[in-house]
Amino acid sequence: MAAQSITEKLSHVRFGASEPPVDLNAPFTTDRILEVRSGKVKPMPGLTVLSGIDKSVRDEPVFVSRGGIVDDEHDYTFHGGPEKALHGYCSSHYPAWQEEFPEAAERFVPGGFGENLVVARMNERNVCLGDVHAVGDAGLVLQVSLPRQPCFKLNHRFHLKNFAPHTWRTSRTGWYYRVLEDGYLKAGDEIRLVERRYPQWTIERVQEYLHRNQGDMEMNEELAGIEELGEESRGMFRTRVAKAKAKAKKELESRDAPKWRDFAVVEKKKQTPRIMSFVLEAVKPLEDGRELSAGSHAKIKLGNGLVRNYSVVKGDRNRFELAISLEEKSRGGSKYFHEAVEVGHPLQVGALTTGIPAKSAASHHIFVAGGVGITAFLALIEGYDAINYSCVLHYAVRSAGEVPYRERLEKLGNDKVIIYDRSKGERLSIPDIVANMPWNSQLYFCGPRRLMDEAARVTREKGIPEPEVHFEAFEADVSGYPFEVVVANKNNTMLKVGGEETLLEVLKGHFDEVDSSCEVGNCATCKITLLEGDVEHRGTGLLPEEKATSMLSCVSRGRGRIVVEI
């Protein structure tokens, strides 16, 4: 017998032992509201993040306006507003959640998802985008606007790491309403389907292309054109369509496009005695000058023949800012910037790539930085703060005068930024930070090698899973014993890598196909296939299971002779 699908399994769940089975695939024409819920915004347990997810049952009739139930509160960063006035959820999902996550069974009860309307039969399989529903006999008319988009707050609510994606994988997110006609509603009111404009677009099918099958451009274009679809989802479909068209155009143009773009330095500013900031502007701006995501890297070709990668503090593809610390043992990069580069200086810029992946499933984000390492995280912290994510920065400096971008850090507030001044005897303790971090935290480290080595040791000793730690090195130990490499898919070409050379540098000197970005072992852009031989793995860009068959050519080194493919 074939295995049952999620939908088939759900079609026979019961809500309450005495209730008849609920067929979640049955067509919807009427249903009845079991509970009406509303609540106030308050901090989530263990966090400073505010949320309106904790809602209480309303026994009396409540008035519903264009903004939803009067006196119901939301964190308007992601919830509430005219297109998310009410959240409906099928209570028949809760027994299935209890069965799948028995360790959190007591939390999977009506109201658990922060819904306003608790129903039993309406669900994502028989509710369609744009449906118009009349409620009760007091004139209230609602329209289905979009699926609920789950976020980390569901993980925290049910105390289950990475729970949120399960809701859209199984199409058990609930849906939002906009209000077409104001009116009163109460528990026991009947909900009636009065108009169905898009019978082909159930909430489940919208989620298919919103989450599970994002590459179908025909469906993306169709959904982008449906005016009744709320902007949160419709905007995502429009963005995909625009990106696909831009990518196709770029592929056509890139055949003859140069790999390096000409920029000029338009600003140079001393941030601290050791850190200088530079603003670079394109000589010929790109038509697609979109903003760079937080944590991006810029590959810069210097006038002394060196190529270096630096974290972007902020900016877009045509104008961005770097901050560079003058290193005591500079290999030529930071020294060149500090001593030779002035306003008007020409530089060539190659790849602009993202280095820090979003970790939206985490309840709390802990950034640990030392010195110029703040430049990798500053834009990301500001972005998280702007959308009310829980985050904190632990920042170690030599003295108060060694703090760059002080104004931006002060705007974040003392509750988000903790500065450790070594000149005052203050010490950043990674063991203490790790020992006291809240549940479901994501860790980020960037700083000098001593800080990074301690972070790796402590997190490893504490058994913190690798996906929950991000290492953003800004310097890398690339030297070592010489070794030989055979490139199997290039006619078994044999190359020698010197003690002060990297494998990446040697490969680029002979072949054009070798890509790279950060060149300090963070991003895995330079990953190549390892066929034979022993490798000393360095950097953080590979998962443990990848190290048997891959290596990072920018930092890792062979022992003796190795065989690779590029």
Side-chain angles (χ1 to χ4, degrees), residues 254-269:
S254 64
R255 295 173 185 173
D256 302 316
K259 293 184 178 180
W260 296 89
R261 297 171 58 206
D262 293 324
F263 278 68
V265 175
V266 295
E267 291 181 22
K268 179 180 181 181
K269 181 179 179 181

Side-chain angles (χ1 to χ4, degrees), residues 334-355:
S334 66
K335 184 177 181 181
Y336 180 84
F337 259 102
H338 276 252
E339 297 180 0
V341 174
E342 301 293 342
V343 172
H345 193 98
L347 291 169
Q348 288 191 305
V349 177
L352 292 167
T353 56
T354 300

Side-chain angles (χ1 to χ4, degrees), residues 175-187:
W175 57 94
Y176 283 114
Y177 286 110
R178 62 171 62 90
V179 179
L180 300 183
E181 297 290 342
D182 298 357
Y184 283 87
L185 81 103
K186 64 183 183 303

Side-chain angles (χ1 to χ4, degrees), residues 502-536:
T502 69
L503 174 55
L504 177 65
E505 291 170 340
V506 172
L507 292 175
K508 283 190 170 185
H510 290 81
F511 311 111
D512 294 329
E513 311 85 311
V514 188
D515 292 327
S516 65
S517 178
C518 73
E519 297 189 8
V520 290
N522 293 331
C523 67
T525 305
C526 69
K527 180 174 71 173
I528 59 175
T529 301
L530 175 65
L531 298 178
E532 295 178 22
D534 188 18
V535 167
E536 179 187 351

